[in-house]
Amino acid sequence: AWVATTCSPRTKEYVIAKSNPDLIVDYTSQKWDEDVPELKGIDAVFEAVADDGFERAKKIVKEGGSFAAIATFDAGFDPTAHQPAFQWAAFMCLKNDVKEQDELAGLLADKKLTLDVEETFPFTSEGVQAAFAKQKGGKSKGKNVVVL
């Protein structure tokens, strides 16, 4: 698969080391839906951050493509609601499924899946507040974990 991603100059080397995408778009200086012709007609957009990702994806995803979001509800919850423009487009909700959790735990144990931890915080009032502040800052390159 051909993969493009966005990141800032601060995280570019991290992104390359972790996923080695075919194209990196610097979101601090480029609009991925307007300034990057290589993205016109792409198969899918996975949106994890932007507030306006669905509207922007409509400009570049080929007809019958896909859009999945985990940060905004713009596409709604019915994955078939935007056909034929999108074959599948919706906010992705995860469910508490023991089988899926076991599969993920197995992949982590077998080192087929990695999980980077940016920082750990104690389960105290100050620790939880610090974890929320860190997360709100939006600059983490891994997970922030509150340790019980």
Side-chain angles (χ1 to χ4, degrees):
W2 185 86
V3 176
T5 191
T6 60
C7 69
S8 69
R10 181 184 68 83
T11 59
K12 183 176 181 178
E13 293 306 315
Y14 176 83
V15 169
I16 291 170
K18 290 295 179 181
S19 59
N20 196 24
D22 299 289
L23 175 68
I24 296 177
V25 179
D26 174 1
Y27 69 81
T28 66
S29 66
Q30 294 177 291
K31 293 184 177 183
W32 52 264
D33 58 321
E34 296 175 6
D35 301 335
V36 187
E38 299 95 325
L39 296 180
K40 300 288 183 194
I42 62 171
D43 295 321
V45 167
F46 174 73
E47 181 56 66
V49 179
D51 292 335
D52 56 355
F54 188 49
E55 289 305 311
R56 295 173 74 184
K58 289 177 183 179
K59 299 177 189 176
I60 63 169
V61 174
K62 70 180 183 182
E63 184 167 333
S66 299
F67 175 84
I70 62 170
T72 63
F73 306 109
D74 297 0
F77 295 93
D78 178 358
T80 63
H82 304 282
Q83 292 178 351
F86 289 89
Q87 178 66 28
W88 196 102
F91 174 76
M92 279 184 60
C93 296
L94 301 177
K95 60 183 183 234
N96 189 8
D97 184 308
V98 174
K99 280 185 174 180
E100 289 176 6
Q101 293 169 352
D102 285 346
E103 181 180 350
L104 291 171
L107 291 170
L108 285 166
D110 294 341
K111 298 191 182 334
K112 294 179 181 176
L113 177 67
T114 60
L115 180 66
D116 293 339
V117 175
E118 170 90 5
E119 191 170 343
T120 59
F121 300 88
F123 185 59
T124 62
S125 178
E126 296 81 17
V128 171
Q129 290 176 39
F132 274 112
K134 175 87 174 192
Q135 192 68 23
K136 187 177 179 182
K139 303 296 181 190
S140 296
K141 293 186 274 182
K143 296 295 179 189
N144 293 299
V145 178
V146 175
V147 179
L148 299 175

